[in-house]
Each structure stands twice: as C-alpha cells, then as structure tokens.
C-alpha cells in the first residue's frame, strides 16, 4: 500500500473471493529475494546468520496469515537454504495450532531444501511433477498453461499455450494418481488476465460443472488407467468407478479394468440416458455408444462414464 494505487489489493481480492465465489482463498509467498542484500549476506555466511529470514521473511509470514487469513499458504523459494534457516518448524507449528486459520489451513512442502516430498500438508516435489504412480501422501502437480513460463509473456504465440484438451489430459492423469493440479496463469503487470488465460479457466470451470462428480471427493481406484484402451483414467467413490475418456469412442468403448456384475449400470455424466453394455469374454466390459446429437452432448472435450455396482469396486 506504500506505493502505486495505495490500495490493499490482496485484501480486496480475498474479500471478493470469499463473498462472491465458493472458492478457497490462498496466498503464495516466496521465502527468498534474490537481490536483497541481507539475504545475500546470509547466503555468503553459509546460512550461519539469519538477518533476512529473521527480519523480513518470518514477520511477513505471520502478517499475511493474521491479516488475510488464507486457507492455503503456498510457500516457495526454498531452493537454497534449509528449513532451520527459515525457522519453518516454529512457524508451521503456530500455523496449525494457534493461528486464526488453524482448523482449515493447508500448506505445501516448500519450506527448505530438506522438506520437499517429506513435509507439508501436500507434496509438490518439483514443478510439473507427475510421478506416474500412486504416492503415499497427498500431492500437487504445479504446472502452467504457458508451456515455458510462470509469468505473462507478451511475445508468446498460441502454440506455446496448452490447449484445453491437453490440460484435461494432464488433469485426468494427475487425479487418477491421487493428486491435485495447480493450473498457473500469469497476469500482466497491470493485474489483468489476458483472453487466452481467461478462456482456459472458463473452459475448465465449464467442464467441472458437468464432470465434477467424477473428480471432487474421489479417490484413486485399484487401477489408474486401462490396459486395453489408451486414454482412459480412473477415479472412484464408495459405490462407483469413473472412467475419464480423453477421446470420444465410436460404437463400443472396451475397458479391461472394470468387471461388471449383473446389477452394473453405466451412465455418462451430464447425460440422462443409461448405456447398454456386455461383459467381455475374458475380463472387462464393452459399453455400447449410441449416436448422440451434438446438442445433447454434455461437454465438448474429455467425457466421464460412471460405472456403478461393479464386482471389483
């Protein structure tokens, strides 16, 4: 608030999100500052001094939590110094036990060079992390719509942005392995969101409005993807398995992983009619795909089939 518009834009954003959306408000905080002379002095001293962390980083962390009450505290800038330099354990103990958001706050694992994939509410392990297998802890794929940058680039062309199909393919794989996806965009220096980023965000929201049942509140299934048909990813809830289909099937969708029972039902999220199916001779299920008019299709990309009452739920 000391310069520029003299406005608390972080506070205004938090208030707007809380009062006008159903989203959770979170804040990103970078631990270090590359050009700060106090930080560089501590670095030259091999972290035996802590002038920067003690006088700048630690007070800032306490201030933003007390002032803005974020439900997510996303830490970054941990690539050089250990957690002991940042006094991370003391701050996180306060955050989870005594802070104004102690009952709902979530943190990541970027609190020092010795923390990634070891400590924190969710693990990030590295940017664009996609482990390819189930993890023992909740994790996040922190990635960007811009293939090359976390910030806005005036010289980027359209081929350098991920399409909605590519984003949904990444999302499906991430969720099937038990992860969340952080889909980063870079605002301009004036704080505006350029049309291509807005389009991707709106497309993702439109898709989730139809298919959220197969994403929110789900857990990884015993099978993450299908061995018979490519481009199929799975999630599950108590009584159903969800098959996330990247390419619309023609005539028959053949799946090896789900084993149907006599009471199995198959439906498409966002579509009212049930689908006919037959058991495959060896194992799995063949789902008959009827012709569906364009105006009856529930979404434009990446569809989710719900399979209820399977033998191997």
């Amino acid at each position: 608030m000391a310069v520029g518009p003299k406005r608390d834009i972080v506070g205004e954003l938090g208030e707007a999100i809380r009062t006008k959306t159903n989203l959770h408000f979170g804040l990103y905080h970078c631990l270090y500052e590359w050009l700060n002379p106090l930080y560089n002095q501590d670095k030259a001293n091999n972290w035996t001094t802590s002038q920067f962390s003690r006088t700048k980083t630690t007070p800032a962390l306490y201030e933003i939590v007390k002032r803005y009450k974020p439900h997510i505290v996303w830490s970054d800038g941990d690539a050089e110094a250990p957690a002991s330099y940042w006094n991370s354990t003391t701050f996180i103990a306060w955050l989870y036990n005594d802070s104004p958001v102690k009952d709902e706050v979530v943190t990541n694992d970027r609190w020092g060079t010795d923390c990634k994939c070891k400590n924190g509410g969710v693990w990030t392990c590295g940017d664009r992390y996609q482990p390819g297998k189930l993890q023992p802890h909740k994790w996040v794929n922190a990635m960007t719509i811009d293939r090359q940058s976390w910030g806005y680039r005036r010289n980027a062309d359209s081929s350098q942005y991920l399409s909605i199909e590519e984003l949904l393919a990444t999302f499906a794989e991430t969720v099937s392995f038990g992860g969340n996806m952080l889909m980063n965009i870079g605002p301009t220096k004036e704080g505006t969101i350029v049309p291509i980023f807005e389009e991707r965000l709106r497309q993702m929201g439109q898709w989730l409005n139809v298919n959220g049942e197969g994403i929110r509140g789900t857990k990884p299934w015993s099978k993450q993807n299908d061995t018979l048909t490519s481009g199929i990813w799975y999630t599950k809830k108590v009584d159903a398995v969800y098959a996330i289909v990247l390419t619309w099937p023609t005539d028959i969708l053949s799946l090896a992983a789900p084993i149907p029972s006599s009471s199995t039902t198959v439906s498409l999220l966002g579509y009212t009619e049930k689908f006919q199916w037959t058991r495959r001779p060896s194992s799995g299920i063949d789902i008959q795909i009827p012709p569906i008019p364009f105006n009856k299709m529930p979404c434009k990309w990446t569809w989710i089939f719900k399979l209820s009452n399977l033998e191997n739920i």
Side-chain angles (χ1 to χ4, degrees):
M1 292 179 66
V3 295
K6 311 290 186 184
R7 291 168 58 181
D8 183 1
I9 58 176
V10 175
E12 291 179 29
L13 178 63
E15 179 66 17
I17 288 175
R18 290 189 173 97
T19 58
K20 298 181 179 180
T21 77
N22 59 358
L23 301 174
H24 290 278
F25 178 61
L27 287 175
Y28 170 100
H29 176 267
C30 189
L31 294 171
Y32 67 177
E33 294 176 1
W34 294 273
L35 302 180
N36 191 299
L38 292 179
Y39 177 75
N40 287 320
Q41 180 180 332
D42 290 341
K43 182 178 179 179
N45 293 334
N46 198 28
W47 317 117
T48 58
T49 58
S50 57
Q51 282 288 324
F52 176 75
S53 62
R54 182 173 53 82
T55 62
K56 194 276 176 183
T57 300
T58 299
L61 280 168
Y62 282 96
E63 179 185 6
I64 64 173
V65 172
K66 291 178 180 178
R67 181 186 294 265
Y68 302 116
K69 300 177 178 58
H71 285 178
I72 301 168
V73 178
W74 184 273
S75 183
D76 203 1
D78 62 327
E80 297 184 337
S84 57
Y85 170 76
W86 299 114
N87 200 26
S88 297
T89 53
T90 299
F91 170 74
I92 292 174
W94 171 81
L95 185 67
Y96 280 123
N97 291 283
D98 299 306
S99 77
V101 291
K102 60 184 177 65
D103 295 326
E104 58 266 344
V105 70
V106 175
T107 65
N108 63 343
D109 58 350
R110 301 185 182 188
W111 297 97
T113 53
D114 45 352
C115 290
K116 274 187 182 177
C117 275
K118 295 179 182 178
N119 305 107
V122 294
W123 293 351
T124 62
C125 301
D127 292 342
R128 300 176 180 85
Y129 179 60
Q130 193 66 278
K133 61 180 181 180
L134 288 178
Q135 298 299 292
H137 194 278
K138 192 67 179 179
W139 61 280
V140 172
N141 177 1
M143 49 78 69
T144 59
I145 293 178
D146 184 330
R147 300 176 193 273
Q148 301 179 17
S149 175
W150 294 84
Y152 170 67
R153 296 187 299 135
R154 292 178 63 188
N155 62 341
D157 61 54
S158 59
S159 67
Q160 294 170 333
Y161 297 101
L162 292 172
S163 66
I164 184 60
E165 291 87 354
E166 291 172 309
L167 287 169
L168 288 172
T170 302
F171 188 39
E173 180 178 356
T174 298
V175 174
S176 293
F177 287 123
N180 292 346
M181 192 169 84
L182 185 158
M183 192 173 72
N184 176 80
I185 64 167
T188 68
K189 63 183 180 180
E190 295 83 15
T192 59
I193 297 174
V194 297
I196 194 165
F197 287 144
E198 179 182 354
E199 180 183 60
R200 295 293 181 272
L201 292 173
R202 291 189 181 278
Q203 287 171 331
M204 184 64 77
Q206 291 164 6
W207 187 85
L208 281 169
N209 282 340
V210 174
N211 297 287
E213 178 187 336
I215 302 294
R216 298 187 179 99
T218 62
K219 295 182 178 180
W221 191 35
S222 56
K223 311 290 184 182
Q224 278 65 66
N225 58 342
D226 201 75
T227 57
L228 179 62
T229 301
S230 62
I232 308 292
W233 298 94
Y234 293 109
T235 61
K236 79 159 189 176
K237 286 184 179 176
V238 176
D239 60 346
V241 168
Y242 297 88
I244 307 172
V245 180
L246 302 184
T247 302
W248 182 252
T250 56
D251 299 329
I252 294 177
L253 174 60
S254 298
L255 304 175
I259 301 176
S261 69
S262 58
S263 58
T264 291
T265 60
V266 178
S267 59
L268 177 67
L269 296 187
Y271 187 68
T272 56
E273 298 181 20
K274 295 290 191 291
F275 286 68
Q276 299 297 313
W277 59 268
T278 56
R279 181 188 287 264
R280 291 183 58 79
S282 54
S283 178
I285 187 172
D286 285 334
I287 303 170
Q288 299 174 21
I289 307 298
I292 301 176
F294 177 80
N295 61 349
K296 296 293 181 65
M297 290 292 285
C299 56
K300 299 178 182 178
W301 344 262
T302 304
W303 300 264
I304 298 185
F305 286 84
K306 179 180 181 179
L307 293 80
S308 302
N309 302 317
L310 294 174
E311 285 186 2
N312 60 337
I313 184 63

mmCIF file of all heavy atoms in Angstrom, residues 40-66:
data_model
loop_
_atom_site.group_PDB
_atom_site.id
_atom_site.type_symbol
_atom_site.label_atom_id
_atom_site.label_comp_id
_atom_site.label_asym_id
_atom_site.label_seq_id
_atom_site.Cartn_x
_atom_site.Cartn_y
_atom_site.Cartn_z
ATOM 1 N N ASN A 40 21.603 -12.072 0.610
ATOM 2 C CA ASN A 40 22.881 -12.448 0.020
ATOM 3 C C ASN A 40 24.005 -12.490 1.056
ATOM 4 O O ASN A 40 24.938 -13.288 0.939
ATOM 5 C CB ASN A 40 23.237 -11.495 -1.119
ATOM 6 C CG ASN A 40 22.385 -11.750 -2.349
ATOM 7 O OD1 ASN A 40 22.112 -12.894 -2.697
ATOM 8 N ND2 ASN A 40 21.929 -10.694 -3.001
ATOM 9 N N GLN A 41 23.888 -11.671 2.091
ATOM 10 C CA GLN A 41 24.878 -11.732 3.181
ATOM 11 C C GLN A 41 24.738 -13.040 3.956
ATOM 12 O O GLN A 41 25.736 -13.703 4.255
ATOM 13 C CB GLN A 41 24.687 -10.543 4.115
ATOM 14 C CG GLN A 41 25.659 -10.515 5.287
ATOM 15 C CD GLN A 41 25.430 -9.321 6.197
ATOM 16 O OE1 GLN A 41 24.955 -8.268 5.755
ATOM 17 N NE2 GLN A 41 25.741 -9.480 7.474
ATOM 18 N N ASP A 42 23.492 -13.427 4.259
ATOM 19 C CA ASP A 42 23.272 -14.706 4.946
ATOM 20 C C ASP A 42 23.754 -15.872 4.086
ATOM 21 O O ASP A 42 24.331 -16.842 4.593
ATOM 22 C CB ASP A 42 21.793 -14.887 5.268
ATOM 23 C CG ASP A 42 21.315 -13.946 6.357
ATOM 24 O OD1 ASP A 42 22.159 -13.415 7.100
ATOM 25 O OD2 ASP A 42 20.082 -13.746 6.452
ATOM 26 N N LYS A 43 23.520 -15.772 2.784
ATOM 27 C CA LYS A 43 23.959 -16.826 1.869
ATOM 28 C C LYS A 43 25.484 -16.931 1.856
ATOM 29 O O LYS A 43 26.054 -18.040 1.893
ATOM 30 C CB LYS A 43 23.428 -16.534 0.470
ATOM 31 C CG LYS A 43 23.785 -17.586 -0.572
ATOM 32 C CD LYS A 43 23.164 -17.220 -1.919
ATOM 33 C CE LYS A 43 23.532 -18.250 -2.985
ATOM 34 N NZ LYS A 43 22.916 -17.905 -4.301
ATOM 35 N N ALA A 44 26.169 -15.781 1.819
ATOM 36 C CA ALA A 44 27.631 -15.780 1.840
ATOM 37 C C ALA A 44 28.175 -16.364 3.143
ATOM 38 O O ALA A 44 29.261 -16.951 3.167
ATOM 39 C CB ALA A 44 28.150 -14.357 1.638
ATOM 40 N N ASN A 45 27.418 -16.235 4.208
ATOM 41 C CA ASN A 45 27.810 -16.791 5.512
ATOM 42 C C ASN A 45 27.379 -18.245 5.681
ATOM 43 O O ASN A 45 27.415 -18.787 6.792
ATOM 44 C CB ASN A 45 27.227 -15.950 6.641
ATOM 45 C CG ASN A 45 27.834 -14.555 6.695
ATOM 46 O OD1 ASN A 45 28.967 -14.341 6.253
ATOM 47 N ND2 ASN A 45 27.076 -13.594 7.225
ATOM 48 N N ASN A 46 26.937 -18.856 4.565
ATOM 49 C CA ASN A 46 26.517 -20.275 4.565
ATOM 50 C C ASN A 46 25.393 -20.522 5.563
ATOM 51 O O ASN A 46 25.358 -21.552 6.246
ATOM 52 C CB ASN A 46 27.708 -21.188 4.851
ATOM 53 C CG ASN A 46 27.428 -22.618 4.430
ATOM 54 O OD1 ASN A 46 26.655 -22.874 3.512
ATOM 55 N ND2 ASN A 46 28.057 -23.562 5.125
ATOM 56 N N TRP A 47 24.481 -19.541 5.680
ATOM 57 C CA TRP A 47 23.273 -19.647 6.491
ATOM 58 C C TRP A 47 23.545 -19.734 7.999
ATOM 59 O O TRP A 47 22.677 -20.140 8.755
ATOM 60 C CB TRP A 47 22.415 -20.841 6.048
ATOM 61 C CG TRP A 47 22.305 -20.981 4.570
ATOM 62 C CD1 TRP A 47 22.739 -22.018 3.798
ATOM 63 C CD2 TRP A 47 21.757 -20.033 3.647
ATOM 64 N NE1 TRP A 47 22.502 -21.792 2.471
ATOM 65 C CE2 TRP A 47 21.893 -20.580 2.343
ATOM 66 C CE3 TRP A 47 21.159 -18.776 3.793
ATOM 67 C CZ2 TRP A 47 21.466 -19.917 1.200
ATOM 68 C CZ3 TRP A 47 20.732 -18.109 2.650
ATOM 69 C CH2 TRP A 47 20.881 -18.688 1.388
ATOM 70 N N THR A 48 24.757 -19.335 8.409
ATOM 71 C CA THR A 48 25.042 -19.286 9.849
ATOM 72 C C THR A 48 24.480 -18.013 10.471
ATOM 73 O O THR A 48 24.374 -17.921 11.700
ATOM 74 C CB THR A 48 26.550 -19.355 10.097
ATOM 75 O OG1 THR A 48 27.203 -18.271 9.405
ATOM 76 C CG2 THR A 48 27.117 -20.691 9.612
ATOM 77 N N THR A 49 24.141 -17.034 9.648
ATOM 78 C CA THR A 49 23.416 -15.854 10.114
ATOM 79 C C THR A 49 22.024 -15.871 9.515
ATOM 80 O O THR A 49 21.767 -16.542 8.514
ATOM 81 C CB THR A 49 24.138 -14.566 9.690
ATOM 82 O OG1 THR A 49 24.275 -14.545 8.253
ATOM 83 C CG2 THR A 49 25.524 -14.499 10.324
ATOM 84 N N SER A 50 21.102 -15.139 10.088
ATOM 85 C CA SER A 50 19.703 -15.177 9.638
ATOM 86 C C SER A 50 19.063 -13.789 9.660
ATOM 87 O O SER A 50 17.905 -13.642 10.040
ATOM 88 C CB SER A 50 18.894 -16.139 10.507
ATOM 89 O OG SER A 50 18.987 -15.766 11.878
ATOM 90 N N GLN A 51 19.825 -12.783 9.271
ATOM 91 C CA GLN A 51 19.287 -11.427 9.265
ATOM 92 C C GLN A 51 18.050 -11.311 8.380
ATOM 93 O O GLN A 51 17.035 -10.727 8.779
ATOM 94 C CB GLN A 51 20.369 -10.450 8.780
ATOM 95 C CG GLN A 51 21.413 -10.094 9.802
ATOM 96 C CD GLN A 51 20.869 -9.198 10.889
ATOM 97 O OE1 GLN A 51 20.018 -8.326 10.642
ATOM 98 N NE2 GLN A 51 21.332 -9.392 12.114
ATOM 99 N N PHE A 52 18.112 -11.873 7.179
ATOM 100 C CA PHE A 52 16.992 -11.727 6.245
ATOM 101 C C PHE A 52 15.768 -12.501 6.725
ATOM 102 O O PHE A 52 14.660 -11.953 6.783
ATOM 103 C CB PHE A 52 17.406 -12.211 4.859
ATOM 104 C CG PHE A 52 16.283 -12.183 3.856
ATOM 105 C CD1 PHE A 52 15.856 -10.984 3.303
ATOM 106 C CD2 PHE A 52 15.642 -13.352 3.472
ATOM 107 C CE1 PHE A 52 14.822 -10.960 2.385
ATOM 108 C CE2 PHE A 52 14.601 -13.329 2.554
ATOM 109 C CZ PHE A 52 14.193 -12.129 2.008
ATOM 110 N N SER A 53 15.929 -13.766 7.057
ATOM 111 C CA SER A 53 14.769 -14.566 7.460
ATOM 112 C C SER A 53 14.154 -14.041 8.752
ATOM 113 O O SER A 53 12.927 -14.062 8.924
ATOM 114 C CB SER A 53 15.165 -16.032 7.623
ATOM 115 O OG SER A 53 16.132 -16.192 8.637
ATOM 116 N N ARG A 54 15.004 -13.554 9.661
ATOM 117 C CA ARG A 54 14.501 -13.096 10.964
ATOM 118 C C ARG A 54 13.789 -11.760 10.877
ATOM 119 O O ARG A 54 12.769 -11.542 11.547
ATOM 120 C CB ARG A 54 15.664 -13.021 11.951
ATOM 121 C CG ARG A 54 15.287 -12.599 13.360
ATOM 122 C CD ARG A 54 16.478 -12.730 14.303
ATOM 123 N NE ARG A 54 17.654 -12.038 13.806
ATOM 124 C CZ ARG A 54 17.861 -10.738 13.948
ATOM 125 N NH1 ARG A 54 16.962 -9.967 14.574
ATOM 126 N NH2 ARG A 54 18.964 -10.175 13.483
ATOM 127 N N THR A 55 14.289 -10.858 10.012
ATOM 128 C CA THR A 55 13.727 -9.504 9.977
ATOM 129 C C THR A 55 12.725 -9.281 8.854
ATOM 130 O O THR A 55 11.945 -8.332 8.912
ATOM 131 C CB THR A 55 14.856 -8.461 9.817
ATOM 132 O OG1 THR A 55 15.543 -8.682 8.578
ATOM 133 C CG2 THR A 55 15.840 -8.561 10.968
ATOM 134 N N LYS A 56 12.741 -10.158 7.834
ATOM 135 C CA LYS A 56 11.825 -9.950 6.712
ATOM 136 C C LYS A 56 10.854 -11.115 6.516
ATOM 137 O O LYS A 56 9.639 -10.953 6.568
ATOM 138 C CB LYS A 56 12.622 -9.703 5.430
ATOM 139 C CG LYS A 56 11.780 -9.135 4.280
ATOM 140 C CD LYS A 56 11.046 -10.209 3.508
ATOM 141 C CE LYS A 56 10.144 -9.618 2.439
ATOM 142 N NZ LYS A 56 9.377 -10.670 1.726
ATOM 143 N N THR A 57 11.391 -12.334 6.261
ATOM 144 C CA THR A 57 10.530 -13.452 5.883
ATOM 145 C C THR A 57 9.582 -13.864 6.997
ATOM 146 O O THR A 57 8.367 -13.987 6.778
ATOM 147 C CB THR A 57 11.386 -14.664 5.458
ATOM 148 O OG1 THR A 57 12.198 -14.291 4.348
ATOM 149 C CG2 THR A 57 10.511 -15.837 5.072
ATOM 150 N N THR A 58 10.114 -14.119 8.181
ATOM 151 C CA THR A 58 9.267 -14.599 9.280
ATOM 152 C C THR A 58 8.179 -13.589 9.653
ATOM 153 O O THR A 58 6.997 -13.955 9.752
ATOM 154 C CB THR A 58 10.123 -14.960 10.494
ATOM 155 O OG1 THR A 58 11.020 -16.016 10.126
ATOM 156 C CG2 THR A 58 9.251 -15.425 11.659
ATOM 157 N N PRO A 59 8.501 -12.302 9.856
ATOM 158 C CA PRO A 59 7.424 -11.339 10.148
ATOM 159 C C PRO A 59 6.381 -11.255 9.035
ATOM 160 O O PRO A 59 5.181 -11.100 9.315
ATOM 161 C CB PRO A 59 8.171 -10.010 10.307
ATOM 162 C CG PRO A 59 9.558 -10.387 10.675
ATOM 163 C CD PRO A 59 9.834 -11.665 9.944
ATOM 164 N N ALA A 60 6.821 -11.358 7.779
ATOM 165 C CA ALA A 60 5.874 -11.278 6.664
ATOM 166 C C ALA A 60 4.897 -12.446 6.690
ATOM 167 O O ALA A 60 3.693 -12.275 6.448
ATOM 168 C CB ALA A 60 6.625 -11.243 5.336
ATOM 169 N N LEU A 61 5.384 -13.644 6.981
ATOM 170 C CA LEU A 61 4.506 -14.812 7.026
ATOM 171 C C LEU A 61 3.445 -14.663 8.113
ATOM 172 O O LEU A 61 2.258 -14.926 7.884
ATOM 173 C CB LEU A 61 5.332 -16.075 7.257
ATOM 174 C CG LEU A 61 6.029 -16.658 6.025
ATOM 175 C CD1 LEU A 61 7.047 -17.712 6.433
ATOM 176 C CD2 LEU A 61 5.010 -17.249 5.061
ATOM 177 N N TYR A 62 3.863 -14.265 9.283
ATOM 178 C CA TYR A 62 2.881 -14.067 10.361
ATOM 179 C C TYR A 62 1.885 -12.969 10.001
ATOM 180 O O TYR A 62 0.682 -13.079 10.281
ATOM 181 C CB TYR A 62 3.595 -13.710 11.665
ATOM 182 C CG TYR A 62 4.211 -14.893 12.372
ATOM 183 C CD1 TYR A 62 5.557 -15.210 12.207
ATOM 184 C CD2 TYR A 62 3.446 -15.710 13.208
ATOM 185 C CE1 TYR A 62 6.131 -16.298 12.847
ATOM 186 C CE2 TYR A 62 4.013 -16.804 13.851
ATOM 187 C CZ TYR A 62 5.359 -17.087 13.663
ATOM 188 O OH TYR A 62 5.917 -18.172 14.300
ATOM 189 N N GLU A 63 2.368 -11.914 9.354
ATOM 190 C CA GLU A 63 1.482 -10.797 8.994
ATOM 191 C C GLU A 63 0.411 -11.215 8.000
ATOM 192 O O GLU A 63 -0.775 -10.901 8.185
ATOM 193 C CB GLU A 63 2.303 -9.649 8.415
ATOM 194 C CG GLU A 63 1.429 -8.465 7.987
ATOM 195 C CD GLU A 63 2.219 -7.363 7.296
ATOM 196 O OE1 GLU A 63 3.424 -7.555 7.036
ATOM 197 O OE2 GLU A 63 1.607 -6.322 6.994
ATOM 198 N N ILE A 64 0.808 -11.950 6.942
ATOM 199 C CA ILE A 64 -0.192 -12.274 5.933
ATOM 200 C C ILE A 64 -1.234 -13.257 6.470
ATOM 201 O O ILE A 64 -2.399 -13.216 6.067
ATOM 202 C CB ILE A 64 0.448 -12.812 4.640
ATOM 203 C CG1 ILE A 64 1.164 -14.138 4.876
ATOM 204 C CG2 ILE A 64 1.382 -11.790 4.033
ATOM 205 C CD1 ILE A 64 1.663 -14.795 3.595
ATOM 206 N N VAL A 65 -0.841 -14.135 7.380
ATOM 207 C CA VAL A 65 -1.818 -15.069 7.948
ATOM 208 C C VAL A 65 -2.780 -14.328 8.874
ATOM 209 O O VAL A 65 -3.992 -14.537 8.829
ATOM 210 C CB VAL A 65 -1.109 -16.217 8.690
ATOM 211 C CG1 VAL A 65 -2.125 -17.068 9.449
ATOM 212 C CG2 VAL A 65 -0.334 -17.080 7.705
ATOM 213 N N LYS A 66 -2.256 -13.470 9.724
ATOM 214 C CA LYS A 66 -3.124 -12.735 10.657
ATOM 215 C C LYS A 66 -4.021 -11.739 9.924
ATOM 216 O O LYS A 66 -5.191 -11.562 10.273
ATOM 217 C CB LYS A 66 -2.258 -12.002 11.685
ATOM 218 C CG LYS A 66 -1.546 -12.923 12.662
ATOM 219 C CD LYS A 66 -0.674 -12.122 13.626
ATOM 220 C CE LYS A 66 0.047 -13.008 14.618
ATOM 221 N NZ LYS A 66 0.931 -12.238 15.526
#
